Amino acid sequence: MFDTVIQGGTIYTPEKTFIGDIGIVGETITEITDGKRLEGKQTIDATRKCVFPGFIDPHVHIHLPFMGTNAIDDHESASKAALVGGTTTIIEMICPGPEDEPEAAFTEWKGLAQEGCCCDYTFHLAVVRFDDLAKEQLRNLVANEGVQSFKIFLAYKGALNISDEHLLELMQLCKELGVTLTAHCENAEAIDAMQKQLIEDGKTGTEWHEPSRPRNVEAGGVAHLCDIAKKTGATVYVVHTSCGEAVDRAMEAKSRGVDVTVEAVAPHLVLDKTYAERPDFEGAKFVMSPPLRDKEEHEALWSGLANGSVLTIGTDHAPFNFHGQKDMGAENFTLIPNGIPSIQERVDLVHTYGVCTGKIGMQTMVDACSTNVAKQFNMYPRKGAIQIGSEADIVVYDPDFVGTFKHEDGLSKVDYSGFEGMERKGRSDVVLLRGTIVAEQGTFVGETGVGTYIPR
Ligand code: URP
Ligand code: ZN
Ligand code: ZN
């Protein structure tokens, strides 16, 4: 007798897709059949529904002290939003300041997550400080705490960026430790100079955000990262890639032997720069970096996903309220806290605008939003797969649900939705975290604080 049985859904396993049943004992998948009916203490009817592995978001910000404020979610609100949207594991960016010690930052972020996180979680650790003490602590965190990925910013001069000297040495350390280096690719100096000039010229509105950090600067950042990766042999992962030019630079480097992976994030796939140009400061809701681009770039990213150049889809969830936070930049776009929240909407956006339009297949959605993330960041097959022995993180998904994205449906604390009124097809009907039902039809029904840290 199983504790829970999911009956009659279309199951997506790494090998094949078929209609069948899944049996769960405790927190683990223990049986999968493609005909034989299973019986359990609890039954979930998945007829006419898809059964996916729990989705994994490779790029979220929850505790984020940034641009003079702090992102508005806490781990409870962000993880509840994640779960109702079908995301059962998140990878949060630990982003300490230039004076902070890495071990203290790890302890702080992990402590906050332990207090309230309702989904499972792990971390990428941003390397902002890189002196001898920091290097020693980075080694300790990898050896003792299961940290397997660092993060660097080629952006945000004076706040989070890293010098080339430190970047080279850090990549050598990553190579030695077998750690993946995730990277925000732009050019901190160039952007700072361009932004100063624009502001001096009186170009202070949100419509100047994109021109202040153009595509070629982002593509140049990718090329720069890959050049150093080529020299050092480090494994690199380009986060939130916004345009075809940047994907192309990464693929050129890959063809020269660089171990590089490209991530897209939900806002860049469905929103374009005209949103950030909206009048009356409305555009501030859509200020993120790299910026929203021309609509044509959506096609470049979707086709990158379809042909395997882009392997993962995250959110870069970075929630700042429109009132009281974004408006810090009402007179100067460079002071608007950067970020567009989407931790809840990601899977439905990808389903609606990628799968339902035929730009990508359902399997690509599952791979990019779950399996590839688990593989890339050393959680596979514990996470990211429906197979015997994997944790029972499972999404029973209703592909026929039709609605619109609405802020009022959101569980994040943020005061707006970047996708308000947009058409929505599909919804996570039942979400299980390690065998327990935690969300049903848009409502969180789990227990607060039961998320666990996933050492990698
Ligand atoms: O605009 C963004 N992306 N905000 C969050 C910080 C980052 O660069 O990831
Ligand atoms: Zn970034
Ligand atoms: Zn980010």
Side-chain angles (χ1 to χ4, degrees):
M1 181 66 109
F2 299 96
D3 292 325
T4 302
V5 164
I6 301 173
Q7 281 184 347
T10 303
I11 303 172
Y12 286 73
T13 70
E15 292 79 32
K16 57 180 181 155
T17 301
F18 54 91
I19 293 178
D21 289 8
I22 296 173
I24 298 165
V25 176
E27 299 194 337
T28 308
I29 298 171
T30 57
E31 180 82 280
I32 304 171
T33 65
D34 63 358
K36 191 174 138 223
R37 180 88 326 161
L38 301 178
E39 302 300 332
K41 294 176 201 153
Q42 167 180 249
T43 302
I44 298 167
D45 179 9
T47 313
R48 287 187 297 280
K49 308 243 167 48
C50 301
V51 184
F52 298 135
F55 293 102
I56 307 171
D57 192 334
H59 185 163
V60 308
H61 302 271
I62 300 173
H63 177 49
L64 177 62
F66 183 52
M67 298 186 75
T69 184
N70 203 325
I72 201 71
D73 269 327
D74 53 32
H75 287 80
E76 182 177 339
S77 58
S79 62
K80 287 179 177 174
L83 285 167
V84 301
T87 295
T88 49
T89 303
I90 55 174
I91 312 183
E92 185 186 2
M93 303 279 177
I94 296 177
C95 292
E99 310 298 325
D100 299 338
E101 294 182 16
E103 282 181 345
F106 180 81
T107 304
E108 181 186 0
W109 259 262
K110 192 175 173 197
L112 289 168
Q114 276 168 337
E115 271 172 31
C117 205
C118 308
C119 66
D120 285 351
Y121 54 91
T122 189
F123 301 103
H124 302 304
L125 174 61
V127 179
V128 183
R129 170 178 171 170
F130 198 60
D131 53 17
D132 286 343
L133 179 67
K135 283 177 218 171
E136 187 192 324
Q137 294 192 356
L138 293 173
R139 286 177 183 279
N140 293 343
L141 290 167
V142 172
N144 305 326
E145 300 289 353
V147 172
Q148 277 286 296
S149 42
F150 296 153
K151 167 83 185 284
I152 52 113
F153 291 90
L154 303 180
Y156 310 129
K157 185 179 170 186
L160 294 170
N161 70 304
I162 190 169
S163 70
D164 277 354
E165 188 188 345
H166 286 167
L167 180 57
L168 175 68
E169 219 188 308
L170 175 62
M171 280 214 209
Q172 287 162 340
L173 183 66
C174 288
K175 173 69 182 165
E176 180 197 324
L177 299 177
V179 162
T180 297
L181 186 63
T182 72
H184 173 138
C185 292
E186 289 186 294
N187 179 326
E189 291 286 341
I191 291 164
D192 187 61
M194 283 188 285
Q195 292 194 330
K196 280 188 177 135
Q197 232 166 52
L198 286 165
I199 297 300
E200 267 169 34
D201 293 348
K203 294 171 173 168
T204 59
T206 57
E207 69 276 24
W208 296 103
H209 176 67
E210 199 276 341
S212 80
R213 33 206 333 150
R215 287 177 312 177
N216 64 328
V217 167
E218 182 185 345
V222 174
H224 185 58
L225 179 88
C226 290
D227 281 347
I228 305 177
K230 174 84 179 146
K231 284 190 185 65
T232 57
T235 297
V236 292
Y237 175 96
V238 182
V239 302
H240 54 35
T241 311
S242 75
C243 58
E245 215 172 315
V247 179
D248 290 348
R249 286 300 92 75
M251 290 307 105
E252 281 161 26
K254 203 178 174 76
S255 70
R256 288 185 282 110
V258 175
D259 186 1
V260 55
T261 299
V262 175
E263 170 195 271
V265 293
H268 289 138
L269 287 165
V270 301
L271 304 172
D272 62 68
K273 71 177 190 186
T274 61
Y275 286 81
E277 293 166 353
R278 286 183 175 176
D280 303 324
F281 199 60
E282 183 76 8
K285 293 176 180 172
F286 304 95
V287 166
M288 69 174 290
S289 297
L292 300 178
R293 303 293 188 192
D294 289 321
K295 215 174 169 41
E296 295 78 72
E297 301 300 341
H298 296 173
E299 297 315 311
L301 296 176
W302 287 119
S303 62
L305 281 156
N307 69 29
S309 316
V310 180
L311 273 191
T312 62
I313 304 175
T315 58
D316 197 10
H317 181 74
F320 295 100
N321 277 341
F322 183 59
H323 298 288
Q325 292 191 297
K326 290 276 186 184
D327 52 15
M328 290 159 62
E331 308 299 327
N332 176 344
F333 75 88
T334 69
L335 303 178
I336 299 168
N338 285 202
I340 303 176
S342 60
I343 199 167
Q344 185 167 332
E345 297 93 341
R346 173 182 63 140
V347 173
D348 299 333
L349 286 167
V350 173
H351 183 255
T352 307
Y353 297 98
V355 177
C356 293
T357 57
K359 292 186 169 87
I360 61 169
M362 195 73 102
Q363 188 63 53
T364 301
M365 175 177 106
V366 174
D367 290 344
C369 296
S370 180
T371 311
N372 291 347
V373 182
K375 286 182 175 167
Q376 181 73 30
F377 293 113
N378 307 2
M379 290 184 275
Y380 187 88
R382 175 176 177 178
K383 304 287 189 189
I386 294 189
Q387 62 184 36
I388 290 173
S390 294
E391 291 187 343
D393 298 342
I394 297 177
V395 177
V396 178
Y397 194 80
D398 179 1
D400 298 322
F401 176 87
V402 176
T404 53
F405 290 99
K406 297 188 206 105
H407 173 248
E408 67 188 50
D409 292 338
L411 300 191
S412 165
K413 288 185 176 174
V414 75
D415 67 358
Y416 75 99
S417 166
F419 313 98
E420 190 69 39
M422 284 171 59
E423 183 183 25
R424 169 181 175 188
K425 291 182 182 163
R427 179 173 71 173
S428 294
D429 202 49
V430 183
V431 180
L432 293 95
L433 175 69
R434 285 179 276 108
T436 300
I437 296 176
V438 289
E440 283 177 304
Q441 301 176 353
T443 303
F444 176 74
V445 297
E447 232 181 278
T448 298
V450 300
T452 59
Y453 173 60
I454 310 293
R456 298 179 287 121

